């Protein structure tokens, strides 16, 4: 692992030798297939490792059934 320092302190930014496996979703809030979720509920997705914004970041979608829903998305680098 290697680390960098930012305004917010030390944080891990990668593994020496490259990362051989993609991140996977560790948890979500609300949990998958939840019902009766308020429309203003903040949705959180936690991955098993740090992720960074890439070319596919703007391809993230949110759906209500089969219908796409407009939303704002951001990336928080802390776990």
């Amino acid at each position: 692992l290697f680390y960098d320092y930012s305004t917010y302190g030390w944080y891990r930014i990668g593994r020496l030798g490259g990362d051989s496996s993609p991140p996977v979703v560790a948890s979500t809030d609300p949990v998958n297939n939840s019902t009766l979720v308020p429309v203003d509920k903040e949705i959180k997705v936690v991955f098993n490792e740090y992720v960074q914004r890439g070319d596919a970041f703007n391809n993230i979608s949110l759906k209500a059934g089969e219908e796409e829903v407009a939303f704002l998305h951001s990336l928080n680098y802390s776990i």
Side-chain angles (χ1 to χ4, degrees):
L1 300 176
F2 59 97
Y3 297 83
D4 195 7
Y5 188 79
S6 74
T7 306
Y8 306 105
W10 286 99
Y11 62 96
R12 185 178 74 172
I13 59 174
R15 295 187 175 115
L16 295 175
D19 189 352
S20 61
S21 60
V24 295
V25 173
S27 65
T28 62
D29 179 23
V31 297
N32 193 28
N33 294 319
S34 292
T35 59
L36 304 176
V37 177
V39 296
D40 60 348
K41 168 79 172 142
E42 180 178 81
I43 299 170
K44 296 181 183 181
V45 179
V46 177
F47 293 93
N48 68 328
E49 62 182 71
Y50 286 95
V51 297
Q52 62 186 15
R53 188 182 306 240
D55 294 337
F57 184 75
N58 290 324
N59 295 335
I60 296 172
S61 64
L62 179 63
K63 293 185 177 184
E66 295 298 317
E67 186 176 336
E68 286 203 24
V69 178
F71 71 105
L72 300 173
H73 56 290
S74 64
L75 187 60
N76 181 341
Y77 294 100
S78 60
I79 292 179

